[in-house]
Amino acid sequence: MKSAWKFFASVKLAIVLFILLTLASILGTLIPQGRSAAEYAARYGNLAGLLTSLQLTRLYQSGWYMILLFLFALNTAVCTVSRLGPKWRRAFRPVLDSNPQTLMAMKVKAKFRVPLALAPARDRIAGLLRSRHYRLDDSVRGNGIVLLARKRRLGGFGSDFVHLGLLVILAGGFMSGLGGRRADVALLEGQTADVPNAAFRVRLDKFETEYYPQGGVKDWKSTVTVLENGAPVLTRVVEVNHPLTYRGFSFYQTSYGWDWENSRLELLIRKRDDPAFSKGVSLKVGERAAVDSPEMTHVIVRRFVPDFVIGEGNQVQSRSQEPANPAAMVEAWKGEERVFSGWIFAKYPDFGQGHGANNTALDFVLKGFSPAPFSVLEAAKDPGVKFIWLGCLLVTAGFFLAFYWPSREIRIVLEEVQGKVEVTAGGHAAKSRETFQSEFDKIFESARRPA
Amino acid sequence: MTESTFFTTAFALYAAALIVYFASLFARREKWALLGIALAAGGLVSHTAALILRTVASGHAPFTNMYESLSFLSWAIVVALIVFGRKSRVPRLGPYLMLIVVGLVALASSPLMPKGATPLVPALQSYWLWLHVSVTLLGEAFFAVAFVSSLLYLAADTEEKKDKLDALSYRAVAVGFPLFTLGGLIFGMVWAYRAWGRYWAWDPKEVWSLITWFVFALYLHTRIVMGWKGKRSAWIAIAGFLAALFTYFGVNYLLTGLHSYA
């Protein structure tokens, strides 16, 4: 037990862990994380199996990385605790006694005599130190007085605050990993949906995409209402960088799209030999619309894709969900006979004519489409996040204390020698020794001068 | 005057500072270094004007693409030089740090970097853009000071020079490390939580900033607790700056991830 404690109290272990964590983390940025087995097989060939079994493809979630982080946490905790006791005693129950010889061995020091009695000399020096915000402890030493003046005592505990903060952050991360829940909720305008693991529902009232005048998306805005037992509780606009938080859940604007499947399409039917003829129909995929003309009785839309592309095996696919190349597969029927079948393109109205099963004297134009937009919100519950912010505060405070709040200590021995008081002083600062030296010199130059 | 006039003026003044600095070094005229600092400070004023004009014209923080962030990083390094330059009493710091500044400004001015101000994508529309990027780059500027002084340490010949350079390197890390932690990691986590709903996603840029953090944590622990100084400390500080540089620059070009804005 004792040797285990000693092992974890060692800074050398911390150094080893810093190096191991660094190397492991680098490895995780070189191997793409969390991809599909097929992608690894294509990329690494025979090595793919090895990488997967060593958990290098989910490195930051792997058991061995967790063990490294756990050892790092244990090391940090034991190191901090084992050094805290002596540090605490030095700061709050310091040894008051000092002697002139040890003080004169310090780097920052002074020795002089003042023509005063012991008590006034002490008061004078104490006053000078207090005016510079030093706190004083004093005690009697033989026929003299020992003074201990200190300021910024908390500065010595900066690293402990940082370490505590890191432990709180690691604990928060652990809680996020175990208790965090997130799910995407896709909503059309007017739709209401359950939030997984929550006792309330959300409704999307409105979804807008704003564009910059020069193109490019400026913002996505989802107006969301929270419903408890069917009754609206609050309505907020959710934007990127402006999530909605309710009962421990946060809702983020993560994605958007159009409900192409249920889009209403506007078709225009024209006759080549009769420019005056023009008939518009409006229908959804799978629906049929009657056309009263000698050539046909009705049209049917079999399929619609927003971004037409011929994919593998000559199959029609949609390359994206953006309306980059909208196309509809249209059929025209005359009773039981199919008179036209082919793809028509909104952006290329002249293309595709004549691809039909039968050549007709008819042109079909995909005039318009009005899909309903939907918004995807991520509903997230993260029980660790409060700890993360607390840890960050502790780390920030700790850095401030460690680097910008250096503790300072001055010890002074006053002794009566030949009717005068001999003053011996030695000082120590944790950091910025030059500024300390100049402060020290100013204090004792004033003390030396006759009042 | 326009932004690009001010930027070019700054470039010219920095280049002049670089020449004067090196002339002072090789001719052993220490007084000339004062002119070097004055030129660098003049460049900084012009550079600041360029950054302000760009902010006003684009309506957003001047570090949303590579050109802008390179410009801001070089600005921050000149600030770090002026903070440390006189006090450190290391005559070589100015010339070599200015070499990095001129290199970065030249890279920013090169045709490789598109200079147009593009409107912000929704994820970047946040005041955390200001806090996260500016504080991080400021921290990295002080890492650059530690980097230069560590390299100079390795090249120094006398103990007196070495002591000064070692102390300077530590002081630069003592400023840079808290800034980097606050700006890069903490503000980064806060912003990621607001924008993406998760404070940490093991994105390559996040991991590399953590790696940079580990290296400088190693620097401080070996130095303060184990008493390492000098050569070994210098090598760690050099590695730390290179990691920071890779986080800032390399990740964008060599690895893919969430931070694919610049």
mmCIF file of all heavy atoms in Angstrom, chain B residues 190-219:
data_model
loop_
_atom_site.group_PDB
_atom_site.id
_atom_site.type_symbol
_atom_site.label_atom_id
_atom_site.label_comp_id
_atom_site.label_asym_id
_atom_site.label_seq_id
_atom_site.Cartn_x
_atom_site.Cartn_y
_atom_site.Cartn_z
ATOM 1 N N VAL B 190 -16.209 26.001 -24.239
ATOM 2 C CA VAL B 190 -17.460 26.731 -24.010
ATOM 3 C C VAL B 190 -18.169 26.980 -25.340
ATOM 4 O O VAL B 190 -19.369 26.721 -25.494
ATOM 5 C CB VAL B 190 -17.189 28.076 -23.296
ATOM 6 C CG1 VAL B 190 -18.475 28.877 -23.158
ATOM 7 C CG2 VAL B 190 -16.572 27.849 -21.931
ATOM 8 N N TRP B 191 -17.390 27.423 -26.326
ATOM 9 C CA TRP B 191 -17.989 27.725 -27.634
ATOM 10 C C TRP B 191 -18.498 26.452 -28.312
ATOM 11 O O TRP B 191 -19.612 26.428 -28.862
ATOM 12 C CB TRP B 191 -16.971 28.452 -28.520
ATOM 13 C CG TRP B 191 -17.572 28.991 -29.779
ATOM 14 C CD1 TRP B 191 -18.888 29.109 -30.082
ATOM 15 C CD2 TRP B 191 -16.849 29.493 -30.908
ATOM 16 N NE1 TRP B 191 -19.042 29.662 -31.335
ATOM 17 C CE2 TRP B 191 -17.812 29.900 -31.859
ATOM 18 C CE3 TRP B 191 -15.498 29.649 -31.203
ATOM 19 C CZ2 TRP B 191 -17.442 30.439 -33.090
ATOM 20 C CZ3 TRP B 191 -15.149 30.193 -32.417
ATOM 21 C CH2 TRP B 191 -16.110 30.573 -33.348
ATOM 22 N N ALA B 192 -17.700 25.390 -28.252
ATOM 23 C CA ALA B 192 -18.123 24.130 -28.870
ATOM 24 C C ALA B 192 -19.432 23.659 -28.239
ATOM 25 O O ALA B 192 -20.328 23.157 -28.932
ATOM 26 C CB ALA B 192 -17.049 23.066 -28.691
ATOM 27 N N TYR B 193 -19.556 23.874 -26.935
ATOM 28 C CA TYR B 193 -20.783 23.448 -26.262
ATOM 29 C C TYR B 193 -21.984 24.256 -26.758
ATOM 30 O O TYR B 193 -23.067 23.713 -26.955
ATOM 31 C CB TYR B 193 -20.614 23.595 -24.742
ATOM 32 C CG TYR B 193 -21.813 23.105 -23.979
ATOM 33 C CD1 TYR B 193 -22.131 21.751 -23.956
ATOM 34 C CD2 TYR B 193 -22.643 23.991 -23.302
ATOM 35 C CE1 TYR B 193 -23.241 21.294 -23.282
ATOM 36 C CE2 TYR B 193 -23.751 23.546 -22.622
ATOM 37 C CZ TYR B 193 -24.052 22.192 -22.617
ATOM 38 O OH TYR B 193 -25.160 21.746 -21.951
ATOM 39 N N ARG B 194 -21.770 25.552 -26.977
ATOM 40 C CA ARG B 194 -22.877 26.387 -27.450
ATOM 41 C C ARG B 194 -23.224 26.115 -28.911
ATOM 42 O O ARG B 194 -24.385 26.134 -29.299
ATOM 43 C CB ARG B 194 -22.526 27.870 -27.306
ATOM 44 C CG ARG B 194 -22.652 28.381 -25.913
ATOM 45 C CD ARG B 194 -22.584 29.895 -25.887
ATOM 46 N NE ARG B 194 -23.805 30.512 -26.418
ATOM 47 C CZ ARG B 194 -24.925 30.654 -25.745
ATOM 48 N NH1 ARG B 194 -24.997 30.220 -24.515
ATOM 49 N NH2 ARG B 194 -25.969 31.227 -26.286
ATOM 50 N N ALA B 195 -22.191 25.875 -29.723
ATOM 51 C CA ALA B 195 -22.455 25.755 -31.157
ATOM 52 C C ALA B 195 -22.811 24.328 -31.564
ATOM 53 O O ALA B 195 -23.705 24.118 -32.370
ATOM 54 C CB ALA B 195 -21.248 26.237 -31.948
ATOM 55 N N TRP B 196 -22.103 23.366 -31.018
ATOM 56 C CA TRP B 196 -22.275 21.988 -31.462
ATOM 57 C C TRP B 196 -22.956 21.105 -30.427
ATOM 58 O O TRP B 196 -23.247 19.944 -30.697
ATOM 59 C CB TRP B 196 -20.914 21.358 -31.797
ATOM 60 C CG TRP B 196 -20.146 22.074 -32.850
ATOM 61 C CD1 TRP B 196 -20.658 22.725 -33.931
ATOM 62 C CD2 TRP B 196 -18.718 22.224 -32.923
ATOM 63 N NE1 TRP B 196 -19.643 23.262 -34.677
ATOM 64 C CE2 TRP B 196 -18.447 22.965 -34.085
ATOM 65 C CE3 TRP B 196 -17.654 21.786 -32.141
ATOM 66 C CZ2 TRP B 196 -17.149 23.289 -34.479
ATOM 67 C CZ3 TRP B 196 -16.370 22.113 -32.528
ATOM 68 C CH2 TRP B 196 -16.123 22.857 -33.682
ATOM 69 N N GLY B 197 -23.125 21.617 -29.226
ATOM 70 C CA GLY B 197 -23.789 20.829 -28.199
ATOM 71 C C GLY B 197 -22.879 19.855 -27.482
ATOM 72 O O GLY B 197 -23.338 19.029 -26.710
ATOM 73 N N ARG B 198 -21.579 19.938 -27.773
ATOM 74 C CA ARG B 198 -20.648 19.097 -27.025
ATOM 75 C C ARG B 198 -19.366 19.884 -26.823
ATOM 76 O O ARG B 198 -18.914 20.566 -27.733
ATOM 77 C CB ARG B 198 -20.410 17.775 -27.739
ATOM 78 C CG ARG B 198 -19.929 17.897 -29.170
ATOM 79 C CD ARG B 198 -20.049 16.592 -29.901
ATOM 80 N NE ARG B 198 -21.445 16.314 -30.242
ATOM 81 C CZ ARG B 198 -21.916 15.088 -30.467
ATOM 82 N NH1 ARG B 198 -21.128 14.056 -30.367
ATOM 83 N NH2 ARG B 198 -23.179 14.904 -30.790
ATOM 84 N N TYR B 199 -18.835 19.798 -25.595
ATOM 85 C CA TYR B 199 -17.672 20.632 -25.294
ATOM 86 C C TYR B 199 -16.387 20.002 -25.810
ATOM 87 O O TYR B 199 -15.369 20.669 -25.923
ATOM 88 C CB TYR B 199 -17.576 20.902 -23.789
ATOM 89 C CG TYR B 199 -17.653 19.663 -22.926
ATOM 90 C CD1 TYR B 199 -16.522 18.907 -22.674
ATOM 91 C CD2 TYR B 199 -18.867 19.234 -22.394
ATOM 92 C CE1 TYR B 199 -16.583 17.762 -21.922
ATOM 93 C CE2 TYR B 199 -18.947 18.093 -21.635
ATOM 94 C CZ TYR B 199 -17.794 17.360 -21.394
ATOM 95 O OH TYR B 199 -17.861 16.219 -20.654
ATOM 96 N N TRP B 200 -16.424 18.713 -26.110
ATOM 97 C CA TRP B 200 -15.212 18.045 -26.560
ATOM 98 C C TRP B 200 -15.603 16.919 -27.497
ATOM 99 O O TRP B 200 -16.414 16.077 -27.118
ATOM 100 C CB TRP B 200 -14.432 17.491 -25.357
ATOM 101 C CG TRP B 200 -13.048 17.085 -25.718
ATOM 102 C CD1 TRP B 200 -12.621 15.825 -26.015
ATOM 103 C CD2 TRP B 200 -11.896 17.934 -25.838
ATOM 104 N NE1 TRP B 200 -11.284 15.845 -26.317
ATOM 105 C CE2 TRP B 200 -10.811 17.122 -26.211
ATOM 106 C CE3 TRP B 200 -11.688 19.308 -25.673
ATOM 107 C CZ2 TRP B 200 -9.536 17.631 -26.418
ATOM 108 C CZ3 TRP B 200 -10.421 19.803 -25.873
ATOM 109 C CH2 TRP B 200 -9.352 18.967 -26.236
ATOM 110 N N ALA B 201 -15.056 16.906 -28.706
ATOM 111 C CA ALA B 201 -15.485 15.889 -29.672
ATOM 112 C C ALA B 201 -14.308 15.078 -30.213
ATOM 113 O O ALA B 201 -14.480 14.334 -31.162
ATOM 114 C CB ALA B 201 -16.244 16.548 -30.820
ATOM 115 N N TRP B 202 -13.127 15.246 -29.638
ATOM 116 C CA TRP B 202 -11.923 14.555 -30.110
ATOM 117 C C TRP B 202 -11.669 14.842 -31.583
ATOM 118 O O TRP B 202 -11.188 14.003 -32.328
ATOM 119 C CB TRP B 202 -11.991 13.036 -29.858
ATOM 120 C CG TRP B 202 -12.049 12.698 -28.409
ATOM 121 C CD1 TRP B 202 -13.139 12.278 -27.727
ATOM 122 C CD2 TRP B 202 -10.965 12.753 -27.445
ATOM 123 N NE1 TRP B 202 -12.824 12.093 -26.397
ATOM 124 C CE2 TRP B 202 -11.494 12.364 -26.204
ATOM 125 C CE3 TRP B 202 -9.612 13.104 -27.521
ATOM 126 C CZ2 TRP B 202 -10.727 12.311 -25.045
ATOM 127 C CZ3 TRP B 202 -8.853 13.041 -26.368
ATOM 128 C CH2 TRP B 202 -9.408 12.651 -25.147
ATOM 129 N N ASP B 203 -12.024 16.043 -31.988
ATOM 130 C CA ASP B 203 -11.712 16.531 -33.324
ATOM 131 C C ASP B 203 -10.186 16.731 -33.398
ATOM 132 O O ASP B 203 -9.568 17.086 -32.391
ATOM 133 C CB ASP B 203 -12.469 17.859 -33.478
ATOM 134 C CG ASP B 203 -11.985 18.685 -34.639
ATOM 135 O OD1 ASP B 203 -12.200 18.248 -35.769
ATOM 136 O OD2 ASP B 203 -11.389 19.753 -34.400
ATOM 137 N N PRO B 204 -9.549 16.475 -34.563
ATOM 138 C CA PRO B 204 -8.078 16.564 -34.614
ATOM 139 C C PRO B 204 -7.515 17.881 -34.087
ATOM 140 O O PRO B 204 -6.470 17.889 -33.435
ATOM 141 C CB PRO B 204 -7.766 16.402 -36.100
ATOM 142 C CG PRO B 204 -8.884 15.588 -36.621
ATOM 143 C CD PRO B 204 -10.095 15.971 -35.821
ATOM 144 N N LYS B 205 -8.194 18.982 -34.347
ATOM 145 C CA LYS B 205 -7.674 20.263 -33.854
ATOM 146 C C LYS B 205 -7.748 20.315 -32.330
ATOM 147 O O LYS B 205 -6.842 20.828 -31.676
ATOM 148 C CB LYS B 205 -8.453 21.418 -34.464
ATOM 149 C CG LYS B 205 -7.675 22.716 -34.390
ATOM 150 C CD LYS B 205 -8.032 23.646 -35.528
ATOM 151 C CE LYS B 205 -7.066 24.777 -35.630
ATOM 152 N NZ LYS B 205 -6.690 25.086 -36.987
ATOM 153 N N GLU B 206 -8.815 19.782 -31.783
ATOM 154 C CA GLU B 206 -8.927 19.728 -30.322
ATOM 155 C C GLU B 206 -7.822 18.857 -29.742
ATOM 156 O O GLU B 206 -7.172 19.225 -28.759
ATOM 157 C CB GLU B 206 -10.288 19.152 -29.914
ATOM 158 C CG GLU B 206 -11.461 20.043 -30.234
ATOM 159 C CD GLU B 206 -12.806 19.374 -29.994
ATOM 160 O OE1 GLU B 206 -12.839 18.183 -29.604
ATOM 161 O OE2 GLU B 206 -13.813 20.030 -30.210
ATOM 162 N N VAL B 207 -7.627 17.680 -30.356
ATOM 163 C CA VAL B 207 -6.615 16.761 -29.832
ATOM 164 C C VAL B 207 -5.234 17.399 -29.915
ATOM 165 O O VAL B 207 -4.440 17.315 -28.974
ATOM 166 C CB VAL B 207 -6.646 15.424 -30.596
ATOM 167 C CG1 VAL B 207 -5.538 14.517 -30.103
ATOM 168 C CG2 VAL B 207 -7.979 14.732 -30.417
ATOM 169 N N TRP B 208 -4.950 18.091 -31.018
ATOM 170 C CA TRP B 208 -3.626 18.713 -31.143
ATOM 171 C C TRP B 208 -3.434 19.859 -30.164
ATOM 172 O O TRP B 208 -2.320 20.101 -29.699
ATOM 173 C CB TRP B 208 -3.351 19.135 -32.591
ATOM 174 C CG TRP B 208 -2.684 18.003 -33.315
ATOM 175 C CD1 TRP B 208 -3.289 17.086 -34.117
ATOM 176 C CD2 TRP B 208 -1.307 17.635 -33.228
ATOM 177 N NE1 TRP B 208 -2.364 16.166 -34.539
ATOM 178 C CE2 TRP B 208 -1.142 16.473 -34.014
ATOM 179 C CE3 TRP B 208 -0.196 18.157 -32.570
ATOM 180 C CZ2 TRP B 208 0.095 15.833 -34.165
ATOM 181 C CZ3 TRP B 208 1.029 17.521 -32.716
ATOM 182 C CH2 TRP B 208 1.170 16.382 -33.500
ATOM 183 N N SER B 209 -4.512 20.561 -29.832
ATOM 184 C CA SER B 209 -4.327 21.602 -28.811
ATOM 185 C C SER B 209 -4.080 20.953 -27.456
ATOM 186 O O SER B 209 -3.308 21.468 -26.646
ATOM 187 C CB SER B 209 -5.510 22.572 -28.786
ATOM 188 O OG SER B 209 -6.683 21.895 -28.445
ATOM 189 N N LEU B 210 -4.701 19.780 -27.232
ATOM 190 C CA LEU B 210 -4.430 19.045 -25.987
ATOM 191 C C LEU B 210 -2.976 18.563 -25.960
ATOM 192 O O LEU B 210 -2.303 18.617 -24.924
ATOM 193 C CB LEU B 210 -5.391 17.860 -25.880
ATOM 194 C CG LEU B 210 -5.308 17.026 -24.604
ATOM 195 C CD1 LEU B 210 -5.734 17.857 -23.397
ATOM 196 C CD2 LEU B 210 -6.192 15.787 -24.699
ATOM 197 N N ILE B 211 -2.481 18.105 -27.121
ATOM 198 C CA ILE B 211 -1.088 17.649 -27.212
ATOM 199 C C ILE B 211 -0.136 18.807 -26.893
ATOM 200 O O ILE B 211 0.800 18.665 -26.102
ATOM 201 C CB ILE B 211 -0.820 17.068 -28.620
ATOM 202 C CG1 ILE B 211 -1.573 15.742 -28.798
ATOM 203 C CG2 ILE B 211 0.680 16.865 -28.858
ATOM 204 C CD1 ILE B 211 -1.659 15.251 -30.223
ATOM 205 N N THR B 212 -0.419 19.971 -27.490
ATOM 206 C CA THR B 212 0.382 21.174 -27.192
ATOM 207 C C THR B 212 0.375 21.444 -25.691
ATOM 208 O O THR B 212 1.405 21.740 -25.084
ATOM 209 C CB THR B 212 -0.215 22.384 -27.939
ATOM 210 O OG1 THR B 212 -0.343 22.050 -29.317
ATOM 211 C CG2 THR B 212 0.645 23.607 -27.782
ATOM 212 N N TRP B 213 -0.804 21.315 -25.113
ATOM 213 C CA TRP B 213 -0.951 21.556 -23.677
ATOM 214 C C TRP B 213 -0.111 20.555 -22.869
ATOM 215 O O TRP B 213 0.571 20.936 -21.922
ATOM 216 C CB TRP B 213 -2.433 21.446 -23.304
ATOM 217 C CG TRP B 213 -2.754 21.978 -21.956
ATOM 218 C CD1 TRP B 213 -3.022 23.276 -21.632
ATOM 219 C CD2 TRP B 213 -2.830 21.237 -20.742
ATOM 220 N NE1 TRP B 213 -3.254 23.374 -20.279
ATOM 221 C CE2 TRP B 213 -3.150 22.150 -19.715
ATOM 222 C CE3 TRP B 213 -2.660 19.893 -20.418
ATOM 223 C CZ2 TRP B 213 -3.299 21.765 -18.390
ATOM 224 C CZ3 TRP B 213 -2.811 19.510 -19.104
ATOM 225 C CH2 TRP B 213 -3.124 20.437 -18.096
ATOM 226 N N PHE B 214 -0.154 19.288 -23.270
ATOM 227 C CA PHE B 214 0.659 18.264 -22.590
ATOM 228 C C PHE B 214 2.144 18.616 -22.642
ATOM 229 O O PHE B 214 2.861 18.474 -21.663
ATOM 230 C CB PHE B 214 0.467 16.885 -23.232
ATOM 231 C CG PHE B 214 -0.785 16.160 -22.804
ATOM 232 C CD1 PHE B 214 -1.508 15.397 -23.717
ATOM 233 C CD2 PHE B 214 -1.235 16.208 -21.496
ATOM 234 C CE1 PHE B 214 -2.654 14.710 -23.335
ATOM 235 C CE2 PHE B 214 -2.381 15.534 -21.101
ATOM 236 C CZ PHE B 214 -3.093 14.788 -22.025
ATOM 237 N N VAL B 215 2.598 19.078 -23.813
ATOM 238 C CA VAL B 215 4.030 19.369 -23.964
ATOM 239 C C VAL B 215 4.441 20.502 -23.027
ATOM 240 O O VAL B 215 5.465 20.411 -22.338
ATOM 241 C CB VAL B 215 4.384 19.698 -25.429
ATOM 242 C CG1 VAL B 215 5.851 20.061 -25.554
ATOM 243 C CG2 VAL B 215 4.063 18.516 -26.340
ATOM 244 N N PHE B 216 3.626 21.556 -22.952
ATOM 245 C CA PHE B 216 4.005 22.657 -22.063
ATOM 246 C C PHE B 216 3.809 22.285 -20.597
ATOM 247 O O PHE B 216 4.534 22.778 -19.729
ATOM 248 C CB PHE B 216 3.266 23.946 -22.439
ATOM 249 C CG PHE B 216 3.874 24.609 -23.643
ATOM 250 C CD1 PHE B 216 3.245 24.578 -24.866
ATOM 251 C CD2 PHE B 216 5.121 25.221 -23.549
ATOM 252 C CE1 PHE B 216 3.818 25.157 -25.981
ATOM 253 C CE2 PHE B 216 5.704 25.804 -24.664
ATOM 254 C CZ PHE B 216 5.052 25.767 -25.884
ATOM 255 N N ALA B 217 2.843 21.416 -20.309
ATOM 256 C CA ALA B 217 2.705 20.920 -18.937
ATOM 257 C C ALA B 217 3.961 20.133 -18.565
ATOM 258 O O ALA B 217 4.484 20.240 -17.444
ATOM 259 C CB ALA B 217 1.464 20.042 -18.818
ATOM 260 N N LEU B 218 4.469 19.364 -19.522
ATOM 261 C CA LEU B 218 5.711 18.618 -19.309
ATOM 262 C C LEU B 218 6.862 19.595 -19.030
ATOM 263 O O LEU B 218 7.669 19.399 -18.115
ATOM 264 C CB LEU B 218 6.004 17.796 -20.565
ATOM 265 C CG LEU B 218 7.199 16.855 -20.525
ATOM 266 C CD1 LEU B 218 6.881 15.659 -19.647
ATOM 267 C CD2 LEU B 218 7.540 16.363 -21.931
ATOM 268 N N TYR B 219 6.901 20.679 -19.809
ATOM 269 C CA TYR B 219 7.928 21.713 -19.633
ATOM 270 C C TYR B 219 7.917 22.220 -18.196
ATOM 271 O O TYR B 219 8.945 22.273 -17.529
ATOM 272 C CB TYR B 219 7.645 22.861 -20.607
ATOM 273 C CG TYR B 219 8.579 24.047 -20.503
ATOM 274 C CD1 TYR B 219 9.726 24.128 -21.283
ATOM 275 C CD2 TYR B 219 8.301 25.092 -19.627
ATOM 276 C CE1 TYR B 219 10.579 25.218 -21.194
ATOM 277 C CE2 TYR B 219 9.146 26.183 -19.534
ATOM 278 C CZ TYR B 219 10.291 26.245 -20.317
ATOM 279 O OH TYR B 219 11.122 27.328 -20.214
#
